[in-house]
Amino acid sequence: MIRYIRWCAYFCALLLVALLVNIARVQVWKSAAYGANPANKRPAIARYAEPRGDILVDGRPVTGSRDSGQLLRYERTYKNGPLYAPVTGFSSQTYGTSFVERAEDGILAGTDPGLSAFPLWYDLTRGRPAGGNAATTVRAGVQLAAYAGLAGKRGAVAAVEPATGKILALVSSPSYDPSVLSGTGTRVKEEWARLNADPARPMLNRALRETYPPGSTFKIVTAAAALDAGVVTDVDAPTETPDPYPLPGTSTLLPNAGTGCQDASMAEAVQWSCNTVMAKIGVRVGLRGMVEAAERFGFNRDGPRVPSWVSRSNFDTDMSQDQLALSSIGQFNTRATPLQMAMVAAAVANGGELKSPYLVERTTQDDGSPVRRGDQRSLGRAMNPATALRMQELMVKVVENGTGKNAAIPGAVVGGKTGTAQHGVGNAGTPYAWFISWAKAEGAPLPAVAVAVVVEDAAADRGDISGNLAAAPIARAVMEAALAAR
Amino acid sequence: MTALTAQVAEPAPPPPPDARAPKRRGVELTLLAGAVLISVLGHLYVGLTTTGRVPRPAAQYAAGLAAAALLAHVAVRLRAPYADPLVLPIAVLLNGLGLVLIQRLDATTPGHLTAGDQLLWSALGVALFVLVVLVLRDHRVLQRYAYLSVTVALLLMLVPVFFPAVNGAHIWIRFAGLSFQPGEFAKILLAVFFAAYLAANRTALALTGRRLFWKLRLLPGRVLGPILAIWLLSVGVLVLERDLGTSLLFFGLFVIMLFTATGRIGWIAIGLLLAAVGAYAVGTFEPHVHSRVDDWMNPFASIERGEGPGQLAQSLFAFGAGGLLGSGLGHGQSFLIGFAAKSDFILATAGEELGLVGLAAILLLYGLLVARGFRAGLALRDPFGRLLATGLASIVALQVFVIAGGVTGLIPLTGMAMPFLAQGGSSVVTNWIIVALLVRLSDSARRPAPQEPPE
């Protein structure tokens, strides 16, 4: 019997070995796969177990964390939620993250390896660093000026610092309070459904993600292309353009909104926004030249990461001459984001060099020690320095004595360009009013700000007047705030 | 005597029995102190991590645990001085760890506190341990009550049929607010009966019977018949009650004890084959079992269907989250497993919060306990004692394997209680009686021959 008892003991030992091998398989070999299973709630619980780091504007947090006592514990709160929503985005237990909340999620949630002082330290201790902070380039005063300017209207404002690419303001109107999306439960789901069903689309970030026909503001690109290509050598020379201008190869006549465009020079054409002259100049530059110029400004590229992605602005690369003529004045298929048009103004103000716009100045640990700095990168040269100087003069004239007088600021050099874009079937929709501009304090070496403003429901009915009436005052307020903030 | 002895100069005086067979009671006391210390520290740690402060009745808890361990130790010292010094400390440590884990799980289910109940049941278990060690002077007495045991066992198993089912199984008796699982006791009684019957009929089983071919001989039906009938009856009742774990345990217990008594490996193989066929049939046609098998084959099927993770999937997630070192007591998310976290799935909490290292340590403790049981069986001289020790050790081993294999996805899940660890009064009490019997058996096994009491 002794022998058989031993065999039984061996059998039990075998069972024990099987158990040990299996738990090693489950706990070591399969551990990562189980952790990555979307039905496993543990990563989400761990993620929200600690307060999230903050997003800073002017060094002050515009976000906060609230202990909900729920399973996914810390919920996001926002100070001035609607004002900063296009910058921060939302951070929701139910719907994930967007914009800076998404782009800097690793830092804010405390999972970024850069937050650890020693490599593998938190892997060893199984702890997690406190969430870090993301300091934005946004200036509170500039943002507030833009938001207040748009109040009650649909539209967007993008403001950048031309020499660095820092985004000083990003506003989209109407906006929403991202804090209603924080947390879980039916209330959050209802708010999400309501925001998505709202015809005003408050969650759309119009400054980065919506493209509009840029209208006459695109004439800045056309003019720069003509100067760079040598198509126009003297900006004050008459261009021998009829008014109205028959589109090449068709019998369609392109009219002007105002008078005095007959045979006008390019300087006058920019100043008074002559469609006929600029369309003709675009055709003379040619498809290839126009496409290359537009692409140097950032069109047809996947939008820059700011660090959120930006919609692609479009300038068609395969067009007939009449289509090219329309495209050269920002109609036809030409579309641009407000940020893209702010970059156009910034390139002019910055002597032709285009800086990549960015929104996160630096990321820090919880205690403020730096993790990463936002890097200033150049996107290359949009135009020659001489062309840029010439363009600055043309844009200043628009504000001093042209279609953009409403943007003038005493004691500062301001250059601008109005625009109105028809849209809708048969141009039935209310035109979009545009204004792009830049401003430099008198005697300052560098421009302070470049701005693009779009107002969707411009009240004025015709022409560039609406750009000057609806959009230019907002741009002026933003530029004033930026000049004051320096 | 003879001249040979006379020639030996001076016969050495017989050495004192203590020197030849060390009692090792001091070792037991030291180990017990360690087990109590670990449990009390665990208790404090859980209190600190889940509520942020030292649990209020910590001193009483520590004193109670120490007193229980000391009482059990004194009983062993008095009536089983040669007992294996490892058995009692392992039981105390496992029971203490179970209390710590249940206390930890209580913190996540504030409406359903069970640590207090478990403490009371543990105290009752220790009291029964003391009682058994004090009253049962010689394990061979049990042999006389073989038929009484089997009658009581069958009655105990039949009674729950008349009580309402809980979670699909008729294995509980609810009485005056307490629920009780009589099948737990039945397994000890059945082990006693099997051991007594097989010991008495061993020769007939081993040597008689018609030869079929080669070495296979038909076991004599006259001897095999009754035991087979009783076994079939008990398994049948359990299947009726849908207590799959226990029926599997009884089947394994029967096969192991029959093998130990007869050494007929061929018949065991045939038995296992038949069992496999039976298990396949039940697994295919019985919906309750079928779903368990499906879960085992693909634990994440419910996730793919969009119904969220099932209990087994949650259990696997918990084990995976524990990894090598675990999240630390109180830092896991065991509540995700659901309602059976304190009973069937308590190992998942151990795996998540103590990690592979802690879980392996717990399994090795069980392994050690089982090994000491087999060791007592090997050292005993009477067949009944040997069979009983083997049977009791196998009960613990099989139970640990079935439940641990189930929650880790090694075998299909069957509801059964992890000895000492899981919340459940009848289970704790029964396991303390098993430990008392093992202490008694190991005492007999290690007792030096001259001291052996007459039959």
Side-chain angles (χ1 to χ4, degrees):
Chain A
M1 201 189 282
I2 297 285
R3 203 167 104 203
Y4 307 138
I5 294 177
R6 278 192 203 286
W7 283 18
C8 288
Y10 295 150
F11 171 69
C12 289
L14 193 72
L15 293 185
L16 181 64
V17 169
L19 282 181
L20 291 174
V21 168
N22 189 51
I23 61 167
R25 178 187 71 94
V26 169
Q27 299 207 262
V28 178
W29 180 259
K30 302 280 267 183
S31 173
Y34 290 156
N37 191 307
N40 193 346
K41 282 202 185 121
R42 282 177 179 75
I45 291 170
R47 177 193 162 91
Y48 294 107
E50 298 292 328
R52 192 169 165 82
D54 282 320
I55 297 174
L56 313 181
V57 169
D58 272 352
R60 276 191 288 277
V62 295
T63 57
S65 269
R66 185 171 61 87
D67 185 354
S68 67
Q70 303 284 307
L71 191 60
L72 308 179
R73 194 164 157 195
Y74 283 96
E75 296 179 355
R76 197 55 144 171
T77 58
Y78 294 88
K79 293 159 200 158
N80 286 326
L83 172 62
Y84 291 110
V87 177
T88 59
F90 57 78
S91 169
S92 164
Q93 270 84 344
T94 316
Y95 297 104
T97 51
S98 66
F99 298 107
V100 171
E101 293 275 27
R102 164 173 288 183
E104 297 297 344
D105 187 60
I107 292 285
L108 297 168
T111 56
D112 192 288
L115 290 170
S116 163
F118 307 101
L120 300 178
W121 171 255
Y122 289 103
D123 290 332
L124 271 175
T125 58
R126 304 211 70 166
R128 221 170 48 142
N133 296 333
T136 63
T137 55
V138 171
R139 310 304 300 261
V142 184
Q143 179 84 2
L144 198 60
Y147 188 74
L150 277 176
K153 306 186 188 92
R154 272 190 220 181
V157 174
V160 299
E161 191 174 75
T164 58
K166 287 180 187 175
I167 295 177
L168 303 178
L170 270 188
V171 169
S172 177
S173 177
S175 190
Y176 70 105
D177 187 354
S179 58
V180 300
L181 299 177
S182 300
T184 53
T186 50
R187 189 187 51 77
V188 169
K189 289 200 173 77
E190 281 165 15
E191 288 290 341
W192 175 263
R194 181 184 64 76
L195 288 170
N196 277 294
D198 191 332
R201 295 200 290 165
M203 285 212 293
L204 173 67
N205 189 336
R206 293 171 167 82
L208 299 183
R209 301 275 167 89
E210 178 72 308
T211 58
Y212 299 90
S216 302
T217 57
F218 191 79
K219 288 170 185 165
I220 299 298
V221 176
T222 307
L227 286 169
D228 265 0
V231 169
V232 175
T233 46
D234 180 2
V235 294
D236 296 316
T239 52
E240 296 165 16
T241 315
D243 182 12
Y245 168 68
L247 292 178
T250 67
S251 55
T252 312
L253 292 175
L254 180 70
N256 284 309
T259 52
C261 285
Q262 177 99 31
D263 207 21
S265 68
M266 190 170 86
E268 290 165 326
V270 171
Q271 192 173 350
W272 299 108
S273 201
C274 295
N275 289 341
T276 49
V277 176
M278 295 313 294
K280 187 181 174 195
I281 288 175
V283 172
R284 282 176 58 203
V285 171
L287 180 65
R288 187 131 166 250
M290 279 304 294
V291 167
E292 280 172 4
E295 288 178 355
R296 282 201 297 274
F297 279 95
F299 283 80
N300 294 352
R301 292 194 217 177
D302 283 329
R305 297 247 158 202
V306 297
S308 318
W309 62 271
V310 180
S311 290
R312 183 187 168 103
S313 298
N314 180 64
F315 188 81
D316 272 6
T317 54
D318 183 17
M319 291 182 287
S320 59
Q321 292 288 296
D322 57 321
Q323 289 167 341
L324 175 61
L326 284 172
S327 294
S328 300
I329 56 165
Q331 303 281 347
F332 193 56
N333 284 338
T334 308
R335 294 188 79 87
T337 60
L339 180 66
Q340 172 61 62
M341 292 319 291
M343 286 162 68
V344 169
V348 171
N350 195 38
E353 196 196 355
L354 186 60
K355 288 288 190 177
S356 179
Y358 66 101
L359 197 48
V360 178
E361 175 90 77
R362 65 180 182 281
T363 50
T364 65
Q365 288 178 23
D366 183 43
D367 60 4
S369 46
V371 176
R372 268 191 295 279
R373 297 198 66 86
D375 50 337
Q376 297 178 14
R377 286 183 301 116
S378 177
L379 287 177
R381 198 153 263 297
M383 68 197 98
N384 291 326
T387 305
L389 273 177
R390 193 70 31 86
M391 289 306 302
Q392 286 173 14
E393 287 163 14
L394 296 185
M395 287 180 78
V396 167
K397 272 189 191 158
V398 171
V399 175
E400 280 179 351
N401 187 25
T403 54
K405 287 179 189 160
N406 280 346
I409 301 171
V413 182
V414 179
K417 180 72 194 81
T418 53
T420 306
Q422 272 93 34
H423 74 114
V425 179
N427 295 339
T430 318
Y432 297 138
W434 272 96
F435 196 77
I436 67 171
S437 63
W438 49 266
K440 186 163 77 168
E442 201 89 65
L446 291 172
V449 62
V451 191
V453 177
V454 184
V455 180
E456 288 186 24
D457 41 2
D461 50 354
R462 294 295 307 164
D464 281 20
I465 300 149
S466 71
N468 187 36
L469 285 180
I474 299 171
R476 187 185 61 211
V478 171
M479 290 186 291
E480 277 171 345
L483 288 165
R486 276 177 79 86
Chain B
M1 282 246 189
T2 59
L4 194 66
T5 13
Q7 278 167 5
V8 175
E10 187 77 349
D18 280 355
R20 279 190 290 121
K23 293 176 178 171
R24 302 280 189 216
R25 295 277 67 83
V27 172
E28 183 180 82
L29 189 62
T30 314
L31 290 176
L32 275 174
V36 169
L37 189 69
I38 291 174
S39 306
V40 170
L41 288 179
H43 177 73
L44 291 177
Y45 190 87
V46 164
L48 284 171
T49 49
T50 54
T51 63
R53 55 193 159 78
V54 173
R56 212 155 18 89
Q60 288 101 303
Y61 175 86
L65 206 62
L70 204 63
L71 207 65
H73 174 70
V74 168
V76 171
R77 218 175 243 277
L78 284 178
R79 288 295 168 82
Y82 292 95
D84 195 317
L86 283 183
V87 174
L88 182 59
I90 291 175
V92 168
L93 181 53
L94 285 171
N95 201 158
L97 281 177
L99 284 167
V100 166
L101 290 173
I102 290 166
Q103 176 204 356
R104 182 264 168 277
L105 288 167
D106 272 355
T108 62
T109 51
H112 187 242
L113 302 180
T114 51
D117 289 356
Q118 185 77 353
L119 202 59
L120 278 180
W121 285 112
S122 304
L124 184 63
V126 174
L128 280 174
F129 171 90
V130 171
L131 193 72
V132 169
V133 170
L134 290 183
V135 170
L136 186 69
R137 305 293 292 271
D138 185 347
H139 65 272
R140 280 168 292 190
V141 173
L142 292 174
Q143 211 166 355
R144 288 181 216 152
Y145 302 109
Y147 288 97
L148 181 64
S149 298
V150 75
T151 315
V152 174
L154 288 177
L155 279 176
L156 279 176
M157 282 191 288
L158 270 173
V159 168
V161 176
F162 305 107
F163 284 81
V166 180
N167 303 329
H170 283 276
I171 51 176
W172 275 277
I173 296 179
R174 284 190 177 276
F175 181 74
L178 293 172
S179 57
F180 212 72
Q181 225 172 318
E184 289 278 349
F185 286 109
K187 68 192 176 199
I188 300 182
L189 297 171
L190 217 58
V192 168
F193 167 71
F194 282 157
Y197 187 90
L198 290 170
N201 298 290
R202 198 162 68 91
T203 329
L205 280 167
L207 300 174
T208 63
R210 221 160 356 115
R211 188 185 172 118
L212 284 180
F213 57 92
W214 191 48
K215 275 186 170 173
L216 275 185
R217 273 177 310 159
L218 197 63
L219 285 171
R222 195 164 38 83
V223 188
L224 195 61
I227 192 173
L228 207 62
I230 283 165
W231 171 68
L232 276 176
L233 198 62
S234 48
V235 171
V237 166
L238 292 171
V239 168
L240 208 71
E241 291 170 357
R242 294 199 171 164
D243 188 358
L244 292 159
T246 314
S247 56
L248 202 65
L249 176 68
F250 282 8
F251 176 79
L253 181 66
F254 175 69
V255 168
I256 284 181
M257 292 185 77
L258 191 64
F259 168 72
T260 312
T262 64
R264 302 285 189 83
I265 195 102
W267 286 106
I268 305 304
I270 289 173
L272 284 176
L273 200 71
L274 285 175
V277 172
Y280 177 79
V282 172
T284 314
F285 300 116
E286 222 281 325
H288 184 66
V289 186
H290 184 66
S291 70
R292 290 272 173 96
V293 174
D294 277 351
D295 266 1
W296 171 62
M297 301 281 277
N298 189 359
F300 301 126
S302 64
I303 296 171
E304 284 150 24
R305 284 196 305 269
E307 293 161 12
Q311 245 176 350
L312 182 57
Q314 288 288 18
S315 170
L316 291 175
F317 288 162
F319 281 110
L324 201 59
L325 297 174
S327 61
L329 276 175
H331 294 296
Q333 313 291 351
S334 319
F335 63 92
L336 291 171
I337 293 165
F339 72 93
K342 291 179 196 171
S343 48
D344 295 10
F345 286 95
I346 196 155
L347 263 194
T349 303
E352 179 174 8
E353 306 203 341
L354 303 176
L356 177 65
V357 174
L359 189 58
I362 289 174
L363 291 179
L364 288 174
L365 276 181
Y366 283 113
L368 209 53
L369 184 64
V370 171
R372 299 318 273 198
F374 279 119
R375 194 184 174 81
L378 286 170
L380 276 164
R381 284 163 289 269
D382 66 308
F384 169 70
R386 286 176 173 174
L387 282 171
L388 186 58
T390 305
L392 294 175
S394 305
I395 286 177
V396 176
L398 287 177
Q399 212 163 332
V400 168
F401 177 74
V402 168
I403 184 69
V407 296
T408 55
L410 183 63
I411 57 170
L413 193 64
T414 43
M416 229 205 276
M418 199 70 194
F420 292 113
L421 231 50
Q423 169 233 340
S426 22
S427 167
V428 169
V429 169
T430 309
N431 284 305
W432 272 110
I433 295 175
I434 290 180
V435 166
L437 291 175
L438 284 178
V439 161
R440 167 55 61 221
L441 287 163
S442 69
D443 175 55
S444 301
R446 291 156 56 96
R447 190 181 290 267
Q451 265 72 30
E452 194 166 24
E455 190 126 294

